Amino acid sequence: MMLSIARGTLGVISVLGYPSEFFYRGSAMWESLYGVITAYPIVCFVFIPVYFDLGITSVYQYLELRFNSRLVRCLASGTYIIRTLLSLGVTIYTPTVALNTIIGVPYWVSLVSITVITIFFNALGGLKAAVAADVIQSLSMTAMLVGIIIYCSITVGGVDKILTISSENDRFAFFNFATDLHLRVTTTSAWLGELFNSLSLLGCQQNFVQRYLSMPTFGQIRRTLMLNIPVVILLFSLPWFVGMAIYAIYWHCDPLKASVIAKMDEILPYFMVDRFDSVPGVWGIFVGTLFNGALTLNISNINSLATVTWEDFLSLVPALRKKSDTHQLNVIKLVGTVYAVVIMGVGFIVGLLSGVIESSMLIISATSGPLLGVFVLAMFIPFANWKGAALGMLASHLSILWIVVGRLIESNVSEPLLDTSIEGCYADLMEAQKNATLLVAVALEEGVNAVETSTLLNRIYSITYLYYGVFGTVLTVLAGVVVSLATWSSHDAYNMKMLHPAVRWLYSRCPFSGKHFGSFEVAGKGYEAGMKEAVPRC
């Protein structure tokens, strides 16, 4: 169970993205690990007690019970679907970089191939096989990264030499507590941004919560989550050490600056081609591991997405609900096929963005706030009602969407890469770099003429995406509180068992001047049966 929860930490995105992030931008993003570590005890002692006490296995069902509204449940499910579709687009794009770099297969061919295979397995229902393959993929990927670190250590003369090279070339950037919101990443933004993102993922997303609640006692859940922290630290840090090791090999001859590779994410595949050309099977294991990781994650998540779509949306249609189980299963497979095509389209768009890590962080941060905010309203705000929750999520989604679109349109948001050297390259690479420098100089000259004076909108758009989750959560809660206070009525009463135990304890002693928002009845089987019979309001 620990490995199952931690497996997302060592996905194909991190394996390909973190080494290039360290090589070209330094270790600043590494500090997002602080947020992940902080999130685990909060999820364990704040979110899980609510779910465990209620005996609820669906987090979106919890929202429906708390607010007595199908609309809030649908908004939360929709947020999960959108986030997963966008994240999977980055996931399936990642191995196409490796295949293009190693054997020159065009990106579109790889994307179409992954999509066709995904649709085939989704139609067959190969989820069990995908989970088994995911375990093999995680172990093989870990072994591969350890092997790279060992090879580089031997090549450059030891681990201490790797650390020295990175330190002397300003690759270590820790403990920068600058308050400027426009810096791409600081210690504050990395920790705070990843904390909110991880809380939304680990505490408010169905696939994680379902794993926790499959364990029989809260003690087992607590031990699993707490013991998982060192596992996550190891798996998260491993790709960063790989980036450090590769930098020690190429610090004097940057393949990107020498025009050997076209994108920064190609640095690890290029290393495999450059250093293991004469070793049979290494290329195949590397590419196969990445493709397997992307495929298994894509297949299993598409199955989950299609099931959530059926349960929370399509099952509401009377004509579909009355169909046989076989017909319903066919509808779910059809929905999965549609999602596979949508994910392929997202994969093409990801190729236009600045690296898989930036794309992944932008997507997760932009969708984390509304989902986390509505759960904060449900658990900790006694007077929150369905109107405040729904309008808070909508306001947060629209605001963050506006900022993201503005950010993507603006051309002066991305920060430059760190300095690299090509002094150690061969003569032919130096000539290629000179030609590339001329093209870059022309592009910069044209870009300078297009830059306009900074405006307030430009300042808003250039705020680092790491804070999107924080802003989205705060906006959801504030809007939800205001609307709930303005619209509360006796029809919004609910069972106080839905609140966090600490909030219930405080509420029982500070009853808000006699204002009661519901009963303290224990939610047992009779209560759940009554809720199923009740007609939810939207």
Side-chain angles (χ1 to χ4, degrees):
M1 187 60 67
M2 289 169 57
L3 292 176
S4 178
I5 295 173
R7 68 181 177 85
T9 307
L10 189 64
V12 292
I13 296 176
S14 61
V15 168
L16 212 62
Y18 287 158
S20 63
E21 175 74 17
F22 181 88
F23 197 107
Y24 294 105
R25 289 192 167 116
S27 65
M29 191 70 76
W30 196 341
E31 294 188 291
S32 60
L33 177 62
Y34 308 154
V36 180
I37 296 174
T38 310
Y40 269 92
I42 296 178
V43 170
C44 181
F45 296 104
V46 175
F47 287 85
I48 300 303
V50 177
Y51 305 139
F52 193 82
D53 289 346
L54 293 172
I56 291 176
T57 57
S58 170
V59 291
Y60 310 122
Q61 179 195 17
Y62 163 73
L63 292 177
E64 183 179 4
L65 294 176
R66 166 60 178 85
F67 295 112
N68 193 22
S69 171
R70 189 78 184 211
L71 175 59
V72 177
R73 176 175 179 173
C74 291
L75 287 174
S77 299
T79 302
Y80 161 70
I81 291 172
I82 292 173
R83 169 200 278 173
T84 306
L85 288 175
L86 296 176
S87 298
L88 288 176
V90 181
T91 299
I92 69 167
Y93 170 79
T94 303
T96 68
V97 177
L99 201 57
N100 177 266
T101 305
I102 292 178
I103 57 179
V105 177
Y107 292 103
W108 70 268
V109 173
S110 299
L111 287 172
V112 172
S113 300
I114 291 177
T115 302
V116 171
I117 297 172
T118 299
I119 293 174
F120 176 74
F121 274 97
N122 180 67
L124 293 179
L127 181 59
K128 184 177 181 180
V131 173
D134 187 60
V135 175
I136 299 174
Q137 173 259 335
S138 299
L139 295 176
S140 60
M141 192 173 291
T142 302
M144 179 187 66
L145 295 179
V146 171
I148 292 174
I149 295 174
I150 294 174
Y151 170 85
C152 293
S153 299
I154 297 174
T155 302
V156 303
V159 176
D160 57 334
K161 186 66 174 179
I162 292 177
L163 296 174
T164 301
I165 293 175
S166 297
S167 177
E168 291 177 349
N169 290 275
D170 299 324
R171 256 43 192 184
F172 292 140
F174 294 109
F175 307 118
N176 175 18
F177 294 98
T179 57
D180 188 356
L181 300 181
H182 301 87
L183 294 178
R184 179 177 178 268
V185 55
T186 62
T187 302
T188 305
S189 63
W191 172 73
L192 197 60
E194 187 58 36
L195 171 61
F196 278 70
N197 293 343
S198 296
L199 288 177
S200 180
L201 286 170
L202 299 174
C204 308
Q205 193 159 295
Q206 175 62 26
N207 54 342
F208 285 101
V209 174
Q210 192 171 8
R211 288 182 173 90
Y212 312 146
L213 300 183
S214 66
M215 289 177 275
T217 65
F218 179 72
Q220 288 184 345
I221 299 175
R222 182 178 64 250
R223 286 193 298 271
T224 300
L225 288 177
M226 293 299 99
L227 291 175
N228 207 45
I229 293 177
V231 177
V232 168
I233 293 175
L234 175 62
L235 295 182
F236 185 92
S237 300
L238 199 55
W240 288 97
F241 282 116
V242 169
M244 196 185 307
I246 294 177
Y247 183 76
I249 297 291
Y250 295 122
W251 68 273
H252 60 294
C253 181
D254 173 22
L256 180 63
K257 194 171 185 179
S259 301
V260 178
I261 59 177
K263 298 181 179 181
M264 55 183 287
D265 290 322
E266 297 176 359
I267 185 67
L268 179 56
Y270 172 76
F271 169 81
M272 301 300 294
V273 172
D274 182 40
R275 295 289 168 160
F276 298 102
D277 183 21
S278 59
V279 183
V282 173
W283 292 1
I285 293 175
F286 176 71
V287 176
T289 299
L290 292 180
F291 262 79
N292 178 63
L295 275 173
T296 54
L297 194 63
N298 202 31
I299 294 169
S300 60
N301 277 277
I302 281 179
N303 184 281
S304 300
L305 285 173
T307 303
V308 169
T309 303
W310 170 264
E311 292 291 338
D312 292 344
F313 297 96
L314 298 181
S315 64
L316 301 178
V317 180
L320 293 176
R321 188 168 57 242
K322 295 179 181 179
K323 297 293 185 180
S324 64
D325 291 344
T326 302
H327 186 273
Q328 293 178 9
L329 182 60
N330 291 333
V331 172
I332 292 176
K333 291 181 178 180
L334 178 61
V335 172
T337 300
V338 174
Y339 280 154
V341 176
V342 172
I343 291 169
M344 180 181 66
V346 175
F348 282 106
I349 298 175
V350 170
L352 305 176
L353 301 179
S354 179
V356 296
I357 288 298
E358 183 149 342
S359 303
S360 177
M361 292 294 294
L362 176 63
I363 290 168
I364 293 175
S365 188
T367 55
S368 292
L371 193 59
L372 178 59
V374 74
F375 277 89
V376 172
L377 286 171
M379 295 181 182
F380 304 104
I381 309 298
F383 53 82
N385 60 14
W386 72 271
K387 297 177 282 290
L391 290 178
M393 290 191 71
L394 290 174
S396 180
H397 272 303
L398 293 176
S399 300
I400 299 299
L401 178 62
W402 164 58
I403 296 176
V404 170
V405 172
R407 178 186 181 87
L408 295 178
I409 293 176
E410 289 295 317
S411 60
N412 59 341
V413 171
S414 297
E415 292 186 356
L417 305 180
L418 296 178
D419 290 335
T420 55
S421 173
I422 56 173
E423 294 180 358
C425 297
Y426 298 110
D428 55 343
L429 296 185
M430 293 290 292
E431 184 65 27
Q433 192 275 336
K434 290 180 181 179
N435 296 333
T437 302
L438 294 176
L439 296 176
V440 172
V442 173
L444 289 176
E445 184 177 356
E446 295 176 351
V448 169
N449 298 329
V451 174
E452 300 178 355
T453 304
S454 177
T455 64
L456 176 61
L457 287 179
N458 290 333
R459 296 288 293 173
I460 294 176
Y461 297 151
S462 61
I463 293 176
T464 176
Y465 51 82
L466 293 176
Y467 282 121
Y468 289 173
V470 181
F471 295 155
T473 302
V474 173
L475 183 57
T476 302
V477 173
L478 290 180
V481 167
V482 172
V483 174
S484 296
L485 288 174
T487 62
W488 176 267
S489 69
S490 59
H491 297 290
D492 296 321
Y494 60 95
N495 191 304
M496 303 299 287
K497 183 74 172 179
M498 299 296 165
L499 294 174
H500 189 275
V503 177
R504 295 203 306 268
W505 183 86
L506 291 173
Y507 176 84
S508 63
R509 287 155 178 78
C510 302
F512 300 95
S513 301
K515 181 76 171 180
H516 293 284
F517 303 103
S519 67
F520 281 93
E521 298 173 359
V522 177
K525 294 182 179 180
Y527 174 76
E528 293 177 358
M531 289 305 299
K532 291 179 180 178
E533 294 176 358
V535 178
R537 299 189 309 275
C538 291

